[in-house]
Amino acid sequence: MNRNYKALELPKILKMLADECTCPDAAEEALKIEPSPDLETVEKLIKETDDAFVLMAKFGAPSFYGLKNVVNALRRAEAGGVLNLSELLNLSFTLKTIRGVTEWRSKSASVETVLQERFDLLSPNKYLEERIDTTVKNEEEVFDTASQALYDIRRKMRNASQKVKEQLDSMTRSAKYQKFLQDSIVTMRDGRFVVPVKVEYRNEVAGLVHDTSASGATVFVEPMGVVEANNEIRILKAKEKDEIERILQHLSEEAGAFAQAIIDSYYILVELNLIFAKAHLAYKMKASLPIVNDKGKIRLKNARHPLINKDKVVPTNIELGYSFDTLIITGPNTGGKTVSIKTIGLMCLMAMCGLMIPCAEESEVSVFNNILADIGDEQSIEQSLSTFSAHMSNIIKILEISDEKSLVLIDELGAGTDPTEGAALAIAIIEALRIKHLRLAATTHYAELKEYALRTEGVENGCCEFDVNTLSPTYRLLIGVPGKSNAFAISRRLGMRADIVSRAKNLVSEEGSKFEEVIEKLEKDRRRLEKELISAREDSKKAEKLLKEAEALKEKTEKDAEKQLEEAKRSASNIVSATRAQADALFSELDRLKKHKDKIISQEEMQNLKAGIKNMEEQSDPIREKKQEDYVLPRPLKVGDEVIIYDLNKDATVLELPKSGDMVLVQAGIVKTRVNINNLRLSDGSKKDKKKDVGRRTVKTLAAPEKVSMDLDLRGMNSEEGIAAVDDFIDRALRQNLNQITIIHGKGTGVLRAAVQQHLRRHPYVRSFRLGTFGEGESGVTIAELK
């Protein structure tokens, strides 16, 4: 692999990725991944990883367990070769994996993904899978049921073997032969059943000698009585072998017929396994989807180097390529300078490999044609190169290779030689690289480079923060702040004598001292501004919280206003409905009286009409102005009193007493208004019974007339009761504008039916009537049509 990638530890990341793969071929592919400089390719790779991550989060990961490389075996089967039992088992495992992944995708089909094309190309083969499973028992054995012929052969072998064993067992238990035998057991040699005979009694047991023990004291003899039976078993075993070869041949031919589809599915599963391994790694790293560009812009938010223990790593923010193209990082040793530039390079390389990066959301990285790094101790004894020489050799190569699409990372630029010359050489190298318009991040201890960054446009200082009080680095990278030398402060804190530290300060040049003082002042200002920024953010959060509360209150107020408006509309609608019902009732009564024009209207009926008209007037104008009653407040009003606005019949609360005049500021619901004090009534505070308020009017609501059914059931009544019920029912039907009614009187003796029909003939509001037809009740009902 590219030595620059090794310097940035990309191989370690790829090893972590390979460990997440289930399939050995997928793990091998993971180790071979090369970063892509093409933006479109990288965006596609990262999208695939992100889709796999989303699918995993919602449905869990698909299982690639059991996926085996069966390509060579299938190619051989395709060419007419016979697969062995182990190869057929591997093929079965692979077919199960193909089917399992396909079924997993069918369950997660509700989520669209760019991986769908790969899933669609998978070819499950349940038929071949079951054929193998019902044939191959393990790597050494085939099921008896693989074929009828094999089943018959093995049955005969079992019977023959049992017969031989019985003969030999009888022999071993015989008193005649027991003294000749070494042990009373039956064993096998060369696939034939034998008994162990003492060597001195070899001639006492007639048979064939097949083997001798290591000590020579025992010979294994096949008695002549079982030779024929053993021969039969040997023949059956040969037939068994031939039948198994025939079965495997046939099964291999079937596998060969499906070879190409299975091979294609296998390669797709290897790709999917690698993609889901990337998603697994992202989950472990708590990584996020980066924004990728090809403009050389890098902005890492809370970036964490993935190879540092997650409990110890300090998130850092790094920026490059926006307002500056070169970053000079200074700070103490072990302060995190090298980790910072490694993080820049590694984040870009991970994204170029299609990996999500361990940063916060909205982090941005760029693709580069070259990511060139000179990091670490490159001293080489074999090449007789010092550390400085090795670094210079690498930088010379970087100068030759780099272009505007390059990211260059250099650790301890100019170190390993005279400080004055090293600093001058470092500045010259930076200038030579910047001419190419590339992106550069370098670490150094030289103050001259800090000054260079301060006075050069496009070059920015950065430092790794150091806490002098605890004598330890915080590992935070601060952009825009040059690192301050802490040698004197650290020495003093560790107990160095004050006179020695003071002498050292005097030996530093005046310019150097002034520069350090400027840096110290900048650092103090930075800390002050950082505290102010934290305070401002807290104030902003509080203001945001108050704004949300205000918006919530506004929304609640608007909802309350809408609710009260809806209640008012509903109340008005009820009033209109009730008034209309009352009017309909009056009109119905007038119609009834009009039709009885010869009848004299009684005094009671006249009073009912007048009362109905009066109620209708009151009902239709509930907020009309009332006569002011002689009401006197029982005590002077005070702020907070619960009152009633008399003419509106509305509860309110006193907010402000009149300063001059009689107008009192009150709040009714969400509305604030001024009301004349004479129009207010002091409430007793009870909301449960407002009818007790002095001088207050209760609004009556007439219920809407009850809906009349079209059917009247008279069964069980006598004639007089039935006729009275018919009259009442007709009156209510007319008020509801019904044109037809059904009177149920039953069949019975017909007396009630005759009385009802006789009454209907004389009724002024009945146009016609008839008996019911089939389905209506026939002679048990009378259907009347009203005028």
Side-chain angles (χ1 to χ4, degrees):
M1 179 175 278
N2 186 314
R3 60 166 299 279
N4 296 290
Y5 299 163
K6 289 181 179 179
L8 295 171
E9 301 179 290
L10 178 62
K12 294 181 180 179
I13 301 298
L14 297 183
K15 178 63 171 63
M16 292 171 66
L17 175 61
D19 291 341
E20 296 299 325
C21 296
T22 306
C23 172
D25 283 0
E28 187 177 340
E29 290 298 317
L31 296 174
K32 292 179 181 177
I33 290 177
E34 287 286 337
S36 172
D38 180 64
L39 178 60
E40 186 176 343
T41 301
V42 171
E43 287 178 336
K44 179 184 175 184
L45 292 172
I46 290 180
K47 176 60 176 171
E48 290 175 349
T49 304
D50 184 53
D51 278 14
F53 188 88
V54 171
L55 288 169
M56 276 176 47
K58 291 186 175 182
F59 305 101
S63 174
F64 297 93
Y65 178 78
L67 186 60
K68 307 290 184 181
N69 188 339
V70 292
V71 175
N72 292 335
L74 286 171
R75 291 299 183 203
R76 198 169 73 255
E78 196 175 25
V82 179
L83 304 185
N84 59 40
L85 296 178
S86 179
E87 290 171 330
L88 286 170
L89 280 177
N90 287 341
L91 178 56
S92 174
F93 292 148
T94 299
L95 290 171
K96 283 181 173 64
T97 306
I98 295 171
R99 180 167 55 86
V101 173
T102 304
E103 290 174 352
W104 177 88
R105 179 54 190 156
S106 67
K107 294 176 182 176
S108 62
S110 58
V111 177
E112 294 183 1
T113 171
V114 296
L115 303 175
Q116 187 59 47
E117 184 178 353
R118 288 185 173 89
F119 286 115
D120 290 340
L121 292 174
L122 291 175
S123 300
N125 193 327
K126 187 75 178 292
Y127 164 74
L128 184 57
E129 179 188 337
E130 289 181 348
R131 284 280 289 116
I132 297 172
D133 288 347
T134 55
T135 300
V136 182
K137 188 174 184 179
N138 51 50
E139 293 183 352
E140 298 178 352
E141 193 174 357
V142 174
F143 282 112
D144 292 358
T145 54
S147 73
Q148 184 61 45
L150 183 62
Y151 179 82
D152 292 339
I153 291 169
R154 287 185 172 173
R155 179 174 54 80
K156 291 176 181 177
M157 287 175 60
R158 285 192 293 271
N159 291 339
S161 297
Q162 184 64 30
K163 184 178 178 182
V164 172
K165 282 185 179 180
E166 287 176 357
Q167 283 184 284
L168 295 180
D169 284 342
S170 174
M171 182 178 175
T172 57
R173 290 194 297 270
S174 168
K176 177 182 177 181
Y177 290 102
Q178 276 188 349
K179 62 181 180 179
F180 305 141
L181 302 180
Q182 196 72 262
D183 290 299
S184 297
I185 61 171
V186 177
T187 185
M188 292 192 77
R189 287 294 185 273
D190 298 328
R192 302 178 76 88
F193 289 101
V194 295
V195 291
V197 179
K198 297 176 182 177
V199 68
E200 59 268 25
Y201 296 114
R202 160 67 189 86
N203 295 325
E204 299 298 328
V205 179
L208 305 176
V209 177
H210 286 279
D211 197 7
T212 305
S213 66
S215 64
T218 305
V219 290
F220 296 93
V221 177
E222 178 185 6
M224 293 303 294
V226 297
V227 169
E228 190 60 34
N230 273 334
N231 288 340
E232 183 184 352
I233 293 172
R234 179 67 65 89
I235 293 171
L236 288 172
K237 283 189 175 180
K239 289 182 178 180
E240 178 192 36
K241 182 179 178 183
D242 292 342
E243 180 60 18
I244 290 174
E245 287 180 357
R246 188 195 65 78
I247 292 169
L248 296 183
Q249 174 68 43
H250 181 65
L251 201 54
S252 299
E253 289 173 0
E254 289 188 310
F258 299 112
Q260 192 57 52
I262 299 172
I263 290 170
D264 291 342
S265 296
Y266 170 76
Y267 284 129
I268 290 169
L269 286 183
V270 170
E271 293 177 12
L272 288 172
N273 188 202
L274 180 56
I275 292 169
F276 277 91
K278 291 179 180 179
H280 268 289
L281 187 62
Y283 176 78
K284 283 190 174 181
M285 289 183 177
K286 296 182 179 178
S288 64
L289 184 70
I291 300 169
V292 186
N293 67 77
D294 58 357
K295 308 296 183 185
K297 295 181 178 180
I298 300 170
R299 178 176 287 138
L300 304 178
K301 300 178 181 179
N302 292 330
R304 307 175 304 279
H305 195 289
L307 298 177
I308 299 177
N309 189 309
K310 63 181 181 180
D311 297 325
K312 296 180 180 179
V313 66
V314 177
T316 186
N317 298 317
I318 307 174
E319 183 179 310
L320 182 63
Y322 283 87
S323 57
F324 55 90
D325 56 37
T326 302
L327 178 63
I328 306 297
I329 303 174
T330 53
N333 288 327
T334 70
K337 301 190 303 299
T338 303
V339 170
S340 296
I341 62 172
K342 277 189 173 183
T343 300
I344 296 172
L346 189 55
M347 294 298 110
C348 292
L349 287 174
M350 287 177 67
M352 290 164 67
C353 291
L355 295 168
M356 297 166 75
I357 61 175
C359 298
E361 297 286 344
E362 302 299 320
S363 292
E364 191 167 0
V365 293
S366 176
V367 296
F368 295 96
N369 289 341
N370 298 296
I371 296 183
L372 308 169
D374 177 54
I375 297 174
D377 188 357
E378 296 289 341
Q379 185 170 358
S380 173
I381 296 175
E382 290 88 355
Q383 299 178 21
S384 300
L385 295 176
S386 65
T387 300
F388 176 77
S389 299
H391 281 302
M392 284 302 107
S393 297
N394 289 337
I395 290 172
I396 290 168
K397 291 177 184 176
I398 289 172
L399 287 166
E400 292 173 354
I401 299 171
S402 58
D403 56 20
E404 63 178 2
K405 291 289 187 180
S406 298
L407 171 65
V408 177
L409 307 167
I410 304 177
D411 189 28
E412 300 294 354
L413 180 58
T417 187
D418 178 76
T420 303
E421 293 180 357
L425 187 59
I427 292 172
I429 290 170
I430 291 173
E431 290 176 343
L433 290 169
R434 292 195 68 231
I435 291 173
K436 299 186 176 187
H437 304 291
L438 47 69
R439 299 295 178 264
L440 170 64
T443 69
T444 184
H445 284 287
Y446 294 139
E448 289 85 349
L449 267 67
K450 304 177 194 176
E451 296 176 24
Y452 172 76
L454 287 172
R455 67 173 184 266
T456 307
E457 185 178 355
V459 182
E460 188 60 86
N461 268 307
C463 73
C464 290
E465 190 178 45
F466 189 87
D467 190 338
V468 178
N469 294 323
T470 61
L471 298 180
S472 61
T474 64
Y475 300 105
R476 290 178 59 208
L477 179 64
L478 307 175
I479 304 292
V481 180
K484 179 182 179 296
S485 173
N486 295 294
F488 295 152
I490 293 171
S491 300
R492 191 74 187 88
R493 290 275 300 171
L494 290 174
M496 180 71 74
R497 282 165 38 197
D499 59 317
I500 297 176
V501 175
S502 177
R503 173 60 178 157
K505 287 182 179 179
N506 293 332
L507 292 174
V508 176
S509 65
E510 185 177 351
E511 290 183 359
S513 297
K514 288 181 178 179
F515 182 69
E516 289 295 327
E517 288 173 3
V518 170
I519 292 177
E520 185 174 1
K521 184 177 182 301
L522 286 172
E523 177 65 11
K524 288 181 180 178
D525 290 342
R526 183 195 66 77
R527 291 180 183 275
R528 177 178 56 79
L529 291 172
E530 189 174 33
K531 289 180 181 178
E532 291 177 358
L533 178 62
I534 292 172
S535 177
R537 284 176 178 168
E538 290 177 353
D539 292 342
S540 176
K541 287 180 180 178
K542 290 179 181 177
E544 188 176 343
K545 182 180 178 183
L546 290 173
L547 178 61
K548 287 181 179 178
E549 291 176 352
E551 288 176 348
L553 181 60
K554 178 185 175 184
E555 185 178 355
K556 182 177 181 300
T557 303
E558 290 174 350
K559 286 182 179 179
D560 289 345
E562 290 177 2
K563 185 178 179 182
Q564 290 191 12
L565 182 60
E566 287 298 323
E567 288 178 355
K569 288 180 178 178
R570 192 160 48 250
S571 177
S573 177
N574 290 338
I575 291 172
V576 171
S577 299
T579 304
R580 184 179 291 116
Q582 183 70 19
D584 289 343
L586 288 173
F587 281 128
S588 297
E589 183 66 17
L590 287 172
D591 287 343
R592 187 180 69 81
L593 294 175
K594 189 186 295 183
K595 290 174 181 177
H596 292 74
K597 54 186 179 180
D598 296 334
K599 181 181 176 182
I600 298 173
I601 301 174
S602 67
Q603 186 66 26
E604 183 181 357
E605 289 175 330
M606 184 61 70
Q607 288 177 353
N608 288 340
L609 284 173
K610 289 181 180 180
I613 293 169
K614 183 177 179 182
N615 284 340
M616 186 171 65
E617 288 177 353
E618 291 180 354
Q619 178 67 28
S620 62
D621 187 13
I623 313 180
R624 62 191 175 86
E625 185 177 355
K626 307 174 195 174
K627 289 183 179 180
Q628 291 293 335
E629 301 175 0
D630 296 332
Y631 174 78
V632 179
L633 290 168
R635 61 172 174 77
L637 293 176
K638 60 183 180 179
V639 175
D641 277 346
E642 297 291 330
V643 296
I644 299 168
I645 303 174
Y646 177 63
D647 60 353
L648 296 179
N649 196 27
K650 188 74 175 175
D651 291 327
T653 303
V654 176
L655 298 179
E656 183 182 308
L657 297 175
K659 296 179 181 178
S660 61
D662 297 328
M663 304 304 287
V664 180
L665 180 64
V666 299
Q667 179 166 350
I670 63 170
V671 179
K672 294 180 181 179
T673 184
R674 292 190 181 273
V675 181
N676 193 297
I677 195 170
N678 295 324
N679 195 29
L680 298 178
R681 303 289 185 266
L682 189 64
S683 173
D684 63 358
S686 172
K687 293 185 180 180
K688 293 183 179 178
D689 187 6
K690 295 184 179 177
K691 293 182 181 179
K692 295 181 181 179
D693 295 346
V694 178
R696 197 170 180 195
R697 175 181 56 78
T698 301
V699 178
K700 295 181 180 178
T701 302
L702 292 178
E706 178 185 0
K707 288 188 177 180
V708 178
S709 169
M710 295 179 66
D711 299 336
L712 173 64
D713 192 349
L714 303 180
R715 288 174 295 183
M717 300 183 185
N718 58 32
S719 298
E720 292 179 358
E721 292 171 344
I723 289 170
V726 167
D727 281 341
D728 182 62
F729 183 64
I730 291 174
D731 285 346
R732 286 187 283 124
L734 289 170
R735 287 199 296 272
Q736 291 294 320
N737 294 320
L738 297 179
N739 296 322
Q740 181 177 291
I741 60 174
T742 300
I743 302 171
I744 305 169
H745 41 62
K747 297 179 180 179
T749 60
V751 174
L752 182 60
R753 179 179 68 242
V756 168
Q757 291 184 350
Q758 184 66 26
H759 182 68
L760 292 177
R761 272 192 200 93
R762 297 194 301 268
H763 201 288
Y765 293 115
V766 176
R767 186 185 304 278
S768 62
F769 63 89
R770 61 178 175 81
L771 287 175
T773 61
F774 179 76
E776 292 179 326
E778 301 178 355
S779 61
V781 301
T782 296
I783 298 173
E785 185 180 352
L786 304 181
K787 294 180 180 178

